[in-house]
Amino acid sequence: MTGVTSGRVLVTGSSGTIGRTLVEGLPAHGYAVRGLDRVAPPDSGLDALTGELLDAALLDRALADVHAVVHLAAHPGEAPLEEELTSHVLGTQAVLQAARRQGIKRVVLASSNHAVGRTPRGGLPDGRLTVDVRQRPDTFYGVAKVALEGLGSLYADRYGLEVVALRIGSFQPRPRSRRHLATWLSPGDAVRLVVASLSAPDVAYEVVHGVSANTRGWWDHEPGRRLGYLAQDDAEAFADDVLAVPETEQDRRDGEFVGGEFVDAEYDVPASVSPPRPPA
Ligand code: 15L
């Protein structure tokens, strides 16, 4: 199996923060980008469609003449379970089904560290977080990301799709907290990570960490390296600024679990709302 090293790539969530970074960054690596988002793109020159992921006809149009998909579109934080499942699970299944219909094999999925966010740092072998730890969500958002990974695995095993699930840390222009000194994913590394995920040969189903080469990082880089992801940025370059702000109780708690503040009880939300929002 060869990877996708050129051609057209659909980026869902192309108006979001990571999406805009990929729209800008992927062309330099030989890809033509098509966007899909419920929000019209800020760049009117982009080949883009606007609408909802659960619109199968729209997805078929979006995936026509496309060689691979990077699926980012979803609600990026905590919400009631119905909303999370609609956004991450039904939305992802819609994309995977459309990829099958259009004969597209390579699909990169945006998972999150919150799929394993309740993992305590203490007690990890060698203090390293590996991608094979028990799925241990810290929120309904994390539960939905666990299910997204499950769907990716199912579509790889059952239908032969080539799926890379990215457990993304903290995607930010620059690290803003002590936790980010370990969890930061820089914009440049996000592009490198996606390029590696698209172009790596021999992918069936892979989970990789989406973090930069942070001096204070503790998440295993090996699965990413195997795909060819060589992170270049290090949050340490911003450590003086971050550490100039006095440490808070939240900072201290943030270091105890993978998911940082998502683990806190304040992230609890009402168990039910109606009606659920359609996915981004
Ligand atoms: C995520 O998955 C969220 O989408 C983002 O809002 C951040 O909270 C990030 O994780 C993080 O853990 O820093």
Side-chain angles (χ1 to χ4, degrees), residues 14-249:
S14 50
S15 297
T17 50
I18 303 181
R20 290 196 306 270
T21 299
L22 296 183
V23 165
E24 279 173 26
L26 288 180
H29 293 268
Y31 299 100
V33 177
R34 175 176 295 156
L36 173 63
D37 203 295
R38 60 169 26 156
V39 176
D43 164 16
S44 57
L46 178 68
D47 169 17
L49 291 93
T50 306
E52 300 294 332
L53 278 186
L54 297 188
D55 177 343
L58 176 72
L59 267 182
D60 280 338
R61 283 209 308 282
L63 283 167
D65 306 319
V66 156
H67 300 89
V69 184
V70 182
H71 173 45
L72 307 171
H75 177 62
E78 184 60 329
L81 185 62
E82 296 93 322
E83 287 189 33
E84 296 292 351
L85 295 181
T86 305
S87 177
H88 298 275
V89 184
L90 299 184
T92 299
Q93 195 208 9
V95 170
L96 292 168
Q97 279 291 121
R100 280 186 66 210
R101 282 196 301 274
Q102 299 294 330
I104 295 160
K105 288 221 173 261
R106 184 64 55 100
V107 180
V108 181
L109 298 176
S111 185
S112 165
N113 70 90
H114 299 289
V116 296
R118 250 291 175 172
T119 310
R121 182 170 187 178
L124 286 171
D126 302 327
R128 306 296 299 167
L129 178 73
T130 56
V131 295
D132 55 6
V133 290
R134 167 187 143 198
Q135 289 174 318
R136 202 164 177 178
D138 51 21
T139 44
F140 295 136
Y141 171 68
V143 168
K145 289 301 193 186
V146 168
L148 168 147
E149 291 185 7
L151 277 172
S153 172
L154 175 68
Y155 274 72
D157 287 340
R158 184 179 275 179
Y159 304 116
L161 265 61
E162 303 166 1
V163 178
V164 183
L166 311 175
R167 279 194 193 148
I168 297 172
S170 304
F171 177 84
Q172 298 283 338
R174 52 184 288 166
R176 291 183 291 110
S177 69
R178 281 168 165 72
R179 175 172 178 267
H180 291 169
L181 294 180
T183 62
W184 187 48
L185 174 64
S186 74
D189 281 338
V191 173
R192 285 182 272 277
L193 174 64
V194 168
V195 169
S197 303
L198 291 169
S199 57
D202 302 322
V203 167
Y205 173 72
E206 300 287 343
V207 177
V208 301
H209 285 145
V211 285
S212 285
N214 304 318
T215 298
R216 296 173 201 235
W218 45 287
W219 301 3
D220 189 9
H221 275 280
E222 198 41 44
R225 268 192 219 113
R226 280 200 297 271
L227 290 190
Y229 168 50
L230 300 178
Q232 290 181 15
D233 295 322
D234 185 345
E236 207 58 20
F238 303 90
D240 287 351
D241 285 356
V242 170
L243 299 175
V245 179
E247 191 178 24
T248 64
E249 181 50 34

